[in-house]
Amino acid sequence: MIEQTWRWYGPNDRITLKDIKQTGATGIVTALHQIPNGQVWTEADIMERKNMIEAAGLSWSVVESVPVHEDIKKQSGNWKEYIENYKTTIANLGKCGIETICYNFMPVLDWSRTDLNFAFDDGSLALIYQQKVFAAFDIYILKRPEAENDYTEKTVTEAKEYFASLDEQGKETLTNTVIKGLPGAEESYTLEQFQSVLDGYRNIDDATLRKHLLEFLDAIIPVAEQAGVRMAIHPDDPPWGLLGLPRVVSTLEDAKTIINKVDSISNGVTLCTGSWGAGHFNDLSVMAKELAHRINFAHLRNVKRDVDFNFREDYLFEGDVNIYEVLKAIVEEEENRKKAGRKDFSIPVRPDHGNQMMDDIGKDNNPGYSLYGRMKGLAEIRGLELGIRNSLIN
Ligand code: DNO
């Protein structure tokens, strides 16, 4: 069976390990968020967290994420030292028996939305991204030089109208949504700091960022292999360029370039159906099959998207991604691994974001990481897996 996991933000998460146990998840996905990017995770720190999780009758299945320092992405400053630290962290995690590490290579922002509280007709709340709203931030609030050139004329016109409709509070909320407080984005910025961080990428195009990523893989994958650790790169969210920044994990081609660079089971992907699925050009049913042999971790959620780069997160079976086809590919891949004699055949899967609903509303939720919405997602995943196994495998 797939390993049913749940993202936990650590001791400060309002959703406790006891709650998680009741959802039916058996594996925890977490990170040592208190350690600054670039620093080594010591065995003592890792073991402390691991023991806490095991005391609750759960296991620490996946690290999400060991963040990649911006200097590594830019190959600037102390990047060599940060790569050495990253290697040490991988080795330490391996020694502590934690075998799957999720990471990403997105410059500056970990993920981007334009509204964290979009109301569904049923009263639940979800995360959405609207291109015109993002453009309004980029062109009229941040005032990034030449930002208009990155959008269609239609979007620029819509963005202008949208910006004109915003009061001061609306502008502030939008700014906070884009550049502050996103979980996973380990840093937050003022507008001025933000522009200067973007400027740090002025001379780094997709080709250069890709080169840096591939060199990073050359450095870390052998260490991961040695440590018995499987790396799982997370896709760009959303899977297209934002704010003039380069992007290299947005498509099937990107993913293939990565996994083919170092041919090893330690060099895999996180199949995040929502992140890749936000791009109308990505077919997740195809991606799940083509990447199956290198899926080391999966995030299941759905999105409704359009060709104009708008999307909203949706219930698991209600968006544009065929979750059945994706999970079927994962289940079949597990069976293949079992046949091949791999002991690590079980693929950790977690419900990704869920709507805020019922008692979640008004509580302090990490955006996307409410209790009931995700519990519903996990229940649906469990049922679907059982159905797939009973009808297809046996
Ligand atoms: C957001 C998540 C990201 C993800 C990291 C992985 O909900 O999908 O924060 O965990 O990008 O490195």
Side-chain angles (χ1 to χ4, degrees), residues 47 130 285:
M47 284 314 294
Q130 286 179 288
S285 305

Side-chain angles (χ1 to χ4, degrees), residues 135 149 260 335 374:
N149 300 345
N260 292 337
E335 292 305 304
R374 284 191 294 159

